[in-house]
Amino acid sequence: MKDIQVSDYGTMADGKMVKKYTLTNKNGMKLEVINFGGIITSLTAPDKNGKYEDVVLGFTKPEDYFNGNPYFFGAIIGRYGNRIANGKFEIDGKSYQVNQNDNSNSLHGGKNGFHTKFWNIEIVKDSEFSSLKLTYTSPDGEEGFPGNLKTTVFYTLTDDDALEISYEAKTDKPTIVNLTQHSYFNLSGDFAKEILDHELQIDANQFLPTNSSMIPTGELKNVENTAFDFTVSKPIGKDINADDKPLKLGNGYDHNFILNGNGLRSIATVHHPESGRVMEVLTSEPGVQFYSGNFLDGKFETKTGGKSEKRTGFCLETQHFPDSPNQPNFPSTVLKPGEKYDSKTIYKFSVKK
């Protein structure tokens, strides 16, 4: 692993300077991260000709990240990834109201969630790889969540072309935690192209249907004989326009899949036939939110020219299930004092010729 390069990225309206950290592995693969939002602004991966190109969507101007980042491009998401119905939940009989920023729901930690915070970044070097250690302490009551929550995220770029992300958190009051990373991928390397030709496999026999507010109904629905069956690899676009109620409610795929197995395991693979790029996803989480970029709206220039139009990027957000605090049959997202939140996800890149 080469040394990590640190440079000035941009200045916020309040005068704060945002720094960019660039990690490069022995193959020339690069990861770029800024300390605002812990945002991944660039990640390169090889094609079948050995060419490394950026494969994550993002903005061309720093201020577009600073002024709202409406798509959460590349950011660390917390305290609670995905939705909480009406922004309400209870812990030990006590009710909490958190920020409602998605109509009546709370989405991705609220308007001023972790994606808007300055993260302290340390460079951590060991004998094999270099990592970035990002830390942020969310004060008791921030966005309505209880407890002082100390969060640590590690980004590590390995020499086998994998991005490893480790999450840790501790609290001094019972709270809820569901951390994830919100990069949008387009393995073609051309961010104006749709991702419908990408071939996706997800190791999940069930998914979570939602209501019109995109809150899970509580049903665990089998994917067999539905448009949500990705147990065998198929193009994302194959069934995306099927006459299917959950698909229509989400304007495409925007659903949590209930992953098979436990512990750190391979849960999804994406292949882009034209470039040959392959991305394998491994996680210790019970679910993954597959989002097909349905609400990208062409308002912003892409890093490769053209616009970020509908379905020009996809997300595979590893996480616990949406609205878990209000769904007793879902795995718990409650974290109590003395406990440690511990989660890991890996995005590993290779080539299929």
Side-chain angles (χ1 to χ4, degrees):
M1 173 67 76
K2 297 178 182 177
D3 287 340
I4 296 173
Q5 303 297 313
V6 185
S7 58
D8 292 341
Y9 181 73
T11 305
M12 298 191 66
D14 62 4
K16 283 185 180 176
M17 173 58 69
V18 176
K19 296 287 186 180
K20 181 176 75 174
Y21 297 76
T22 302
L23 289 71
T24 308
N25 74 3
K26 69 176 185 181
N27 307 315
M29 183 179 185
K30 289 188 176 183
L31 168 70
E32 296 181 354
V33 177
I34 58 174
N35 55 354
F36 177 78
I39 292 169
I40 294 173
T41 59
S42 179
L43 176 65
T44 66
D47 69 3
K48 59 189 174 185
N49 299 313
K51 183 181 180 183
Y52 281 80
E53 290 182 298
D54 195 359
V55 294
V56 292
L57 275 65
F59 298 116
T60 57
K61 302 172 185 174
E63 55 266 29
D64 290 333
Y65 287 110
F66 307 156
N67 296 334
N69 191 0
Y71 313 118
F72 304 93
F73 280 154
I76 295 172
I77 300 298
R79 297 188 186 190
Y80 198 94
N82 220 310
R83 293 173 174 87
I84 301 171
N86 300 310
K88 294 180 179 179
F89 58 91
E90 288 187 3
I91 303 176
D92 299 332
K94 185 174 181 179
S95 298
Y96 295 92
Q97 176 70 62
V98 295
N99 181 262
Q100 296 162 281
N101 61 324
D102 178 51
N103 296 317
S104 63
N105 301 320
S106 177
L107 174 65
H108 292 333
K111 182 180 179 182
N112 296 308
F114 286 6
H115 61 288
T116 68
K117 304 303 180 184
F118 265 82
W119 290 73
N120 181 64
I121 296 186
E122 299 174 48
I123 296 171
V124 181
K125 296 184 180 181
D126 62 25
S127 58
E128 192 173 8
F129 306 118
S130 295
S131 300
L132 297 178
K133 178 183 179 182
L134 295 83
T135 54
Y136 174 70
T137 297
S138 175
D140 184 20
E142 184 172 67
E143 296 295 276
F145 291 95
N148 294 292
L149 187 76
K150 184 177 181 180
T151 304
T152 304
V153 179
F154 291 91
Y155 287 141
T156 302
L157 188 64
T158 68
D159 284 336
D160 60 352
D161 287 353
L163 168 61
E164 298 186 356
I165 307 173
S166 298
Y167 307 87
E168 300 172 2
K170 292 184 177 181
T171 183
D172 59 1
K173 286 183 183 178
T175 191
I176 56 171
V177 186
N178 189 26
L179 305 177
T180 192
Q181 220 290 331
H182 210 283
S183 285
Y184 289 67
F185 297 94
N186 186 324
L187 301 186
S188 75
D190 182 345
F191 302 126
K193 287 185 176 179
E194 291 184 334
I195 45 80
L196 301 180
D197 60 343
H198 288 50
E199 297 170 352
L200 172 65
Q201 179 269 331
I202 303 176
D203 187 14
N205 297 329
Q206 295 178 310
F207 77 103
L208 298 176
T210 62
N211 61 24
S212 59
S213 298
M214 300 308 293
I215 296 295
T217 62
E219 178 187 6
L220 280 58
K221 186 175 177 66
N222 290 333
V223 301
E224 189 176 8
N225 298 321
T226 75
F228 292 82
D229 190 349
F230 287 94
T231 54
V232 176
S233 182
K234 69 178 181 183
I236 290 172
K238 182 180 179 182
D239 298 318
I240 202 167
N241 295 314
D243 186 11
D244 179 282
K245 185 178 178 181
L247 270 181
K248 288 182 176 179
L249 287 173
N251 197 27
Y253 296 106
D254 189 8
H255 298 79
N256 209 274
F257 286 74
I258 300 169
L259 299 172
N260 297 326
N262 296 289
L264 185 65
R265 73 275 191 214
S266 179
I267 58 96
T269 304
V270 189
H271 173 226
H272 181 245
E274 186 179 345
S275 68
R277 289 189 177 96
V278 176
M279 183 178 78
E280 180 185 9
V281 185
L282 301 90
T283 191
S284 59
E285 286 294 304
V288 65
Q289 185 86 3
F290 168 44
Y291 175 52
S292 52
N294 312 311
F295 295 101
L296 295 172
D297 55 12
K299 288 182 179 177
F300 294 92
E301 294 284 341
T302 80
K303 293 181 282 184
T304 54
K307 300 281 189 177
S308 295
E309 301 282 0
K310 182 179 180 180
R311 296 177 181 158
T312 55
F314 68 89
C315 300
L316 287 168
E317 307 158 48
T318 56
Q319 58 189 241
H320 273 55
F321 304 160
D323 199 37
S324 289
N326 298 309
Q327 308 257 5
N329 295 326
F330 290 178
S332 176
T333 54
V334 173
L335 182 69
K336 295 186 175 180
E339 298 176 345
K340 182 182 177 184
Y341 176 97
D342 201 348
S343 176
K344 187 168 187 176
T345 292
I346 300 172
Y347 296 96
K348 190 174 189 298
F349 295 89
S350 60
V351 175
K352 184 178 179 181
K353 295 185 179 180

